[in-house]
Each structure stands twice: as structure tokens, then as C-alpha cells.
């Protein structure tokens, strides 16, 4: 199926641990994103990569490090996890060269719980 | 001032009625406007996009855009219980700019 897929779906870990979330899209899009959705459902962009190049880097702690090995993959590594990192992390993709009209396609989300 | 503002709700409408969801944005340079629907525990899914002033209709959904007033709305006609979800307004300024979301309006369609 054509989609944006991310793993794992659920991630429960303790404070101080390091974890990674992986994302892959087979839609042929050139741009990928990480969004964080907090408990109040506010969806906030963290990073965006266009053809493996970082183009959006919001004010995010440097414990968060994205990595895009190719334009179909975007991973998120989080060091020294904190309680406040608990949220749902969504990966998304779009085709930038179609202009600002290109909508985002979201993955199913990774629910991260830090205890 | 938030970049994209929505009333968090819940907005409660009876089945068969028209649900009206509103959104205002602060960036006058915004060019593209989207409405996403998010069911509880699921990912956002695109339901409407609009780029020029006026109305755009797709089935039971109508998006309305007024750039002078920096206002975009979504009307859902003949509301169904399956329409109960959080509706996210999203705004984009240009090709390489980020898509900024509002906090969403929770819609409840009652029987």
C-alpha cells in the first residue's frame, strides 16, 4: 500500500534513555516532516527535510536529532528522554515542487510515554 | 497572538444540522489553507483545501476563505455521528514554508 509508515506505534521508556522512531514513505514525495502532538492535541512542527536537506528546524531541544538517509526515510533520535517528551510524534510527507498547494500525508503516529 | 486560532469546543450539533467551524490566522502572506479531520487516537486526514477567496464545495463539506479578514471556515451539511472528531485548520505561507496548525475544534454530532 502507498503510505507513510512509522515505527514503533507505541514506545514506553524511562527517563534518561535514548530512543529512535523511524519513518518511511512510498508516495514518491520529496519532503518529510516530524510533528509533535501534545496532550492538548496541539500539532507542532519540529523538523522538515527536502531531498535529505534540513529546511525547517523549529526551536526544539538539541536532544532531538533528525536524520534523513534518503528522501523516502526520516528518522528521529531522542537522547536523554524527559517526562515532557511524552506525546504523539507524527511523521508526514508532501511534494514541495507542487507548490504550496501540496497537502501533508501523515503516518499513524508514535505514542511515546516517558516514565 | 497564536498564528492559527480555533475555538477548542466542543461544538455540539444535532444529527442532520449544519456544523460551522471557524479559523483565523495572523500571517497575511498565507497562501494555502487546509482542513484536516482527526479521530481520537488516529492521524490527521485531509478533507478540504482552499487557495482563493470564496467558497469551495466537496460533497457535504464547504470551505470558505476570506483573505481580507484572515478567516477560513468549514461547513459540514447534514452532520452525521461519524463526523464527530477534532477538525484542524492548517495554514501555509509559501512553497517552502511550514504548515501551521490550529489547536483544533472538537465536533460532537448528537443523535
Amino acid at each position: 500500500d502507498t503510505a507513510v509508515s512509522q515505527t514503533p506505534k507505541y514506545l514506553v521508556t524511562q527517563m534518561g534513555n535514548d530512543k529512535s522512531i523511524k519513518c518511511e514513505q512510498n508516495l514518491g514525495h520529496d519532503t518529510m516532516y516530524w510533528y509533535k502532538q501534545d496532550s492538548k492535541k496541539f500539532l507542532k512542527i519540529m523538523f522538515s527535510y527536502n531531498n535529505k536537506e534540513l529546511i525547517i528546524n523549529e526551536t526544539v531541544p538539541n536532544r532531538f536529532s533528525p536524520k534523513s538517509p534518503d528522501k523516502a526515510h526520516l528518522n528521529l533520535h531522542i537522547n536523554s528522554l524527559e517526562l515532557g517528551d511524552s506525546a504523539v510524534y507524527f511523521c508526514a510527507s508532501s511534494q514541495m515542487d507542487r507548490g504550496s498547494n501540496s497537502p501533508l500525508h501523515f503516518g499513524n503516529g508514535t505514542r511515546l510515554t516517558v516514565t | 497572538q497564536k498564528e492559527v486560532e480555533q475555538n477548542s469546543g466542543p461544538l455540539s450539533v444535532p444529527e442532520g444540522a449544519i456544523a460551522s467551524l471557524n479559523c483565523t490566522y495572523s500571517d497575511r502572506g498565507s497562501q494555502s489553507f487546509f482542513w484536516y479531520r482527526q479521530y481520537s487516537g488516529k492521524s490527521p486526514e485531509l478533507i478540504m483545501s482552499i487557495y482563493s477567496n470564496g467558497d469551495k464545495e466537496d460533497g457535504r463539506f464547504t470551505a470558505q476563505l476570506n483573505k481580507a479578514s484572515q478567516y477560513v471556515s468549514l461547513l459540514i451539511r447534514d452532520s452525521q455521528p461519524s463526523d464527530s472528531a477534532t477538525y484542524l485548520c492548517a495554514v501555509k505561507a509559501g512553497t517552502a514554508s511550514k504548515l501551521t496548525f490550529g489547536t483544533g475544534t472538537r465536533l460532537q454530532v448528537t443523535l
Side-chain angles (χ1 to χ4, degrees):
Chain A
D1 288 349
T2 53
V4 180
S5 57
Q6 55 182 109
T7 55
K9 188 173 174 63
Y10 299 98
L11 187 53
V12 181
T13 188
Q14 291 184 324
M15 285 175 55
N17 285 348
D18 304 337
K19 291 293 178 185
S20 292
I21 309 171
K22 295 186 176 183
C23 180
E24 175 182 4
Q25 56 93 7
N26 60 5
L27 297 165
H29 289 163
D30 60 2
T31 307
M32 296 184 72
Y33 311 79
W34 280 112
Y35 277 82
K36 177 181 180 181
Q37 189 169 46
D38 60 25
S39 57
K40 294 183 178 177
K41 303 299 184 187
F42 182 49
L43 200 58
K44 185 172 169 56
I45 191 166
M46 301 173 68
F47 303 102
S48 177
Y49 274 76
N50 174 255
N51 284 319
K52 303 193 296 177
E53 180 185 346
L54 182 66
I55 57 170
I56 294 174
N57 185 354
E58 290 293 286
T59 307
V60 176
N62 57 16
R63 298 182 294 104
F64 290 79
S65 51
K67 203 164 279 188
S68 182
D70 56 62
K71 71 175 188 177
H73 295 84
L74 180 62
N75 304 322
L76 183 66
H77 187 75
I78 315 170
N79 290 325
S80 303
L81 278 155
E82 300 177 357
L83 292 175
D85 297 332
S86 295
V88 180
Y89 292 84
F90 284 102
C91 177
S93 70
S94 70
Q95 186 63 20
M96 185 171 289
D97 65 9
R98 289 184 200 145
S100 60
N101 299 346
S102 179
L104 296 187
H105 296 258
F106 284 89
N108 289 329
T110 296
R111 182 174 294 277
L112 171 65
T113 304
V114 182
T115 61
Chain B
Q1 182 190 4
K2 289 181 182 173
E3 296 176 70
V4 181
E5 294 210 49
Q6 297 180 255
N7 188 321
S8 61
L11 172 66
S12 186
V13 300
E15 185 178 7
I18 296 174
S20 178
L21 304 159
N22 304 316
C23 172
T24 58
Y25 59 94
S26 59
D27 185 352
R28 284 198 168 274
S30 298
Q31 298 178 11
S32 303
F33 307 86
F34 304 90
W35 283 99
Y36 284 80
R37 178 176 62 200
Q38 186 175 24
Y39 292 113
S40 181
K42 301 294 185 182
S43 59
E45 55 177 331
L46 180 70
I47 52 172
M48 286 288 287
S49 57
I50 187 166
Y51 314 110
S52 53
N53 282 329
D55 294 1
K56 179 181 177 183
E57 188 175 318
D58 184 1
R60 295 187 296 114
F61 298 98
T62 299
Q64 299 174 317
L65 175 62
N66 183 327
K67 288 186 179 179
S69 301
Q70 294 174 241
Y71 175 91
V72 58
S73 65
L74 179 70
L75 301 178
I76 307 174
R77 289 181 299 281
D78 188 23
S79 295
Q80 301 297 309
S82 58
D83 294 326
S84 298
T86 296
Y87 289 80
L88 301 166
C89 174
V91 175
K92 194 172 185 184
T95 301
S97 66
K98 61 185 179 182
L99 187 63
T100 301
F101 285 84
T103 51
T105 298
R106 190 157 65 93
L107 174 66
Q108 291 177 337
V109 180
T110 58
L111 294 171

